[in-house]
Amino acid sequence: MKARVTVMLKNGVLDPQGEAVHHALDALGFDGVNGVRQGKVILLDLAETDAAAAEKTVGQMCEKLLANTVIESYSIEIL
């Protein structure tokens, strides 16, 4: 079973990488971009066969390692 974890900075937390991308897009002539937030995607290949158990386990992984829950939020998709 596969899982996709998307980790993003929480709203209100400054995103310097997103700002750098935004400025670069402006410099390249892409005027219609009002803001950029950058995050990360983590793909996991799990041995678990039960979707509910897999989601619970991945949630524990996020809380302990994959996301800094003070400044980041995450979402889990079981694929």
Side-chain angles (χ1 to χ4, degrees):
M1 179 167 293
K2 296 187 185 299
R4 178 185 300 133
V5 178
T6 304
V7 181
M8 297 291 295
L9 288 171
K10 290 181 178 179
N11 289 331
V13 176
L14 294 177
D15 185 353
Q17 286 182 306
E19 285 299 313
V21 170
H22 185 226
H23 291 300
L25 290 171
D26 280 344
L28 291 170
F30 295 102
D31 302 340
V33 180
N34 294 327
V36 176
R37 302 287 287 177
Q38 185 167 322
K40 58 188 171 184
V41 174
I42 302 163
L43 298 174
L44 301 166
D45 191 0
L46 307 169
E48 183 62 62
T49 57
D50 177 43
E55 187 167 359
K56 181 178 178 182
T57 300
V58 173
Q60 292 170 343
M61 291 176 188
C62 290
E63 293 290 326
K64 292 182 178 183
L65 176 68
L66 301 179
N68 177 350
T69 57
V70 174
I71 62 168
E72 294 175 321
S73 61
Y74 62 88
S75 63
I76 300 168
E77 295 175 77
I78 302 300
L79 309 172

